[in-house]
């Protein structure tokens, strides 16, 4: 078992796709951070302009002109006048979302990237390539007869995917910290406890997702088809299927049932940084169940199928 793990580690860090995917992830992270900085600048400028407009003479002139226009137009419907007046009051009292450039932390950026399935996308593609790399070149056929149990091959692959998941998140944190320093001039981790717990939970859930993708790759035995499927999983396509299933279950008389609560991708997306204890327990259970199911089914498939 130890030798198989060493072999998988050697194969993992010798795989060119590992560094290509990490490089693309780093580039997108830098670009995303720049877009966040640009968006916050625009929002702050709009907020400042709106405040000046509401408190300045321009707003008074606009209000006076509006009232004069209504008085001069004798044919204006009273309902239309009331609607415009209501809209004017709404503009005066509305406020733009309270966002400050100084509030950006590693925790908020991690939340956006993880819940948006950006990291999951890089994870699932590599998981498929890594899980099937030794089967496509014929190496697995030679090594398969030298192990006492084929389960060892699956467990060693699972360990390799765990290492990759940790490397992916560690690389993201480093790149995100550098990007934040470049564009915002500071690095704020946010609440240390929330950052650590959220990071650990997302690593667990993403690791379970990687194992699930490995299971699909071994089951389908076609990288192109499998990659398309796992990319669709990260594109919120399952949400459409869940709605249909929920409607069918509702027609059976079962109310308030939402199957998406037990979905791995949905759990990754909706998990909050300050999740309650019940939500944390639920996320851990979902991650462990999906990981165990994927490993067990992968072992079963590998045992029953001829190694080619």
């Amino acid at each position: 078992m130890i030798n198989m793990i060493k072999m998988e580690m050697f194969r993992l860090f010798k795989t060119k796709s590992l560094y290509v995917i990490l490089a693309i992830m780093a580039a997108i992270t830098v670009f995303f951070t720049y877009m966040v900085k640009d968006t916050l600048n625009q929002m702050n400028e709009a907020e400042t302009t709106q405040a000046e407009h509401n408190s300045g003479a321009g707003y008074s002139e606009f209000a006076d002109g509006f009232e004069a226009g209504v008085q001069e137009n004798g044919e204006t419907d009273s309902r239309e006048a009331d609607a415009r007046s209501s809209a004017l009051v709404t503009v005066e009292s509305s406020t733009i979302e309270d966002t400050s450039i100084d509030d950006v932390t590693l925790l908020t950026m991690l939340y956006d990237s993880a819940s948006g399935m950006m990291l999951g996308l890089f994870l699932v593609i590599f998981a498929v390539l890594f899980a099937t790399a030794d089967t496509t070149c014929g190496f697995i056929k030679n090594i398969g007869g030298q192990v006492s149990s084929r389960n060892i091959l699956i467990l060693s692959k699972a360990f390799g995917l765990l290492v990759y998941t940790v490397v992916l998140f560690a690389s993201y944190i480093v790149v995100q910290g550098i990007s934040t320093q470049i564009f915002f001039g500071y690095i704020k981790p946010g609440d240390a406890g929330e950052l650590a717990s959220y990071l650990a939970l997302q690593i667990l859930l993403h690791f379970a997702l990687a194992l699930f993708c490995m299971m699909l790759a071994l089951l389908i035995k076609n990288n192109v088809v499998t990659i398309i499927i796992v990319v669709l999983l990260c594109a919120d396509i399952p949400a459409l299927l869940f709605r249909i299933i929920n409607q069918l279950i509702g027609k059976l008389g079962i109310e308030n049932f939402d199957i998406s609560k037990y979905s791995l991708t949905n759990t990754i997306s909706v998990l909050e940084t300050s999740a309650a204890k019940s939500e944390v327990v639920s996320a851990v259970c979902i991650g462990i169940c999906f990981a165990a199911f994927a490993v067990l089914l992968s072992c079963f498939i590998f045992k029953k199928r001829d190694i080619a």
Side-chain angles (χ1 to χ4, degrees):
M1 182 66 181
I2 300 298
N3 291 333
M4 293 300 300
I5 291 177
K6 290 180 179 179
M7 182 191 71
E8 293 295 340
M9 291 299 97
F10 178 83
R11 190 165 67 87
L12 174 67
F13 292 104
K14 288 294 182 180
T15 303
K16 293 182 181 179
S17 58
L18 168 68
Y19 303 100
V20 173
I21 291 177
L22 290 180
I24 296 175
M25 181 274 296
I28 292 180
T29 299
V30 173
F31 177 74
F32 177 72
T33 306
Y34 167 77
M35 293 301 296
V36 170
K37 172 65 179 300
D38 185 63
T39 301
L40 288 178
N41 282 336
Q42 293 180 6
M43 291 180 63
N44 289 338
E45 290 176 0
E47 183 179 6
T48 302
T49 303
Q50 184 71 21
E52 294 176 352
H53 175 73
N54 290 345
S55 60
Y59 177 74
S60 299
E61 294 175 359
F62 174 77
D64 295 337
F66 175 76
E67 294 176 357
V70 172
Q71 293 175 357
E72 292 176 359
N73 188 2
E75 297 180 356
T76 301
D77 186 78
S78 59
R79 293 184 179 179
E80 183 179 355
D82 293 339
R84 291 183 182 179
S85 300
S86 300
L88 189 63
V89 174
T90 302
V91 171
E92 182 180 9
S93 60
S94 64
T95 57
I96 299 177
E97 182 181 359
D98 186 15
T99 305
S100 174
I101 295 180
D102 297 332
D103 294 336
V104 177
T105 64
L106 289 179
L107 179 59
T108 56
M109 299 300 289
L110 174 63
Y111 172 78
D112 289 337
S113 299
S115 62
M117 295 302 295
M118 185 193 80
L119 295 176
L121 184 62
F122 295 114
L123 180 76
V124 298
I125 294 176
F126 180 82
V128 173
L129 298 176
F130 181 75
T132 59
D134 51 2
T135 60
T136 55
C137 68
F139 173 78
I140 194 66
K141 187 174 183 179
N142 296 327
I143 197 66
Q146 302 178 25
V147 294
S148 58
S149 174
R150 292 183 181 181
N151 293 341
I152 296 177
L153 299 174
I154 298 299
L155 295 177
S156 60
K157 289 179 184 293
F159 185 82
L161 290 176
L162 173 61
V163 173
Y164 172 72
T165 305
V166 175
V167 169
L168 176 67
F169 274 84
S171 301
Y172 170 80
I173 292 297
V174 172
V175 174
Q176 186 61 75
I178 296 174
S179 302
T180 306
Q181 178 63 46
I182 293 174
F183 294 111
F184 292 91
Y186 62 84
I187 301 177
K188 291 182 179 179
D191 186 270
E194 289 185 2
L195 177 61
S197 61
Y198 184 77
L199 181 61
L201 285 174
Q202 286 294 1
I203 289 177
L204 171 62
L205 294 173
H206 280 76
F207 173 55
L209 180 62
L211 294 178
F212 186 79
C213 294
M214 178 185 71
M215 179 200 70
L216 291 178
L218 296 176
L219 179 64
I220 298 174
K221 297 182 66 175
N222 187 308
N223 281 3
V224 176
V225 175
T226 308
I227 289 177
I228 292 175
I229 292 175
V230 298
V231 169
L232 291 178
L233 286 177
C234 297
D236 205 24
I237 296 300
L240 300 177
L241 300 177
F242 294 151
R243 292 192 188 99
I244 297 175
I245 295 175
N246 290 335
Q247 291 177 358
L248 294 177
I249 294 177
K251 292 181 179 180
L252 296 176
I254 303 176
E255 299 180 355
N256 300 325
F257 179 81
D258 187 4
I259 193 175
S260 64
K261 293 181 179 180
Y262 311 100
S263 165
L264 183 59
T265 53
N266 182 74
T267 303
I268 293 175
S269 298
V270 303
L271 182 65
E272 297 292 338
T273 56
S274 57
K277 185 177 180 179
S278 59
E279 296 175 345
V280 172
V281 173
S282 176
V284 171
C285 292
I286 290 175
I288 293 176
C289 289
F290 268 89
F293 171 77
V295 170
L296 292 175
L297 187 55
S298 297
C299 292
F300 177 79
I301 295 171
F302 223 56
K303 278 184 177 182
K304 297 299 181 181
R305 178 180 292 170
D306 291 336
I307 300 178

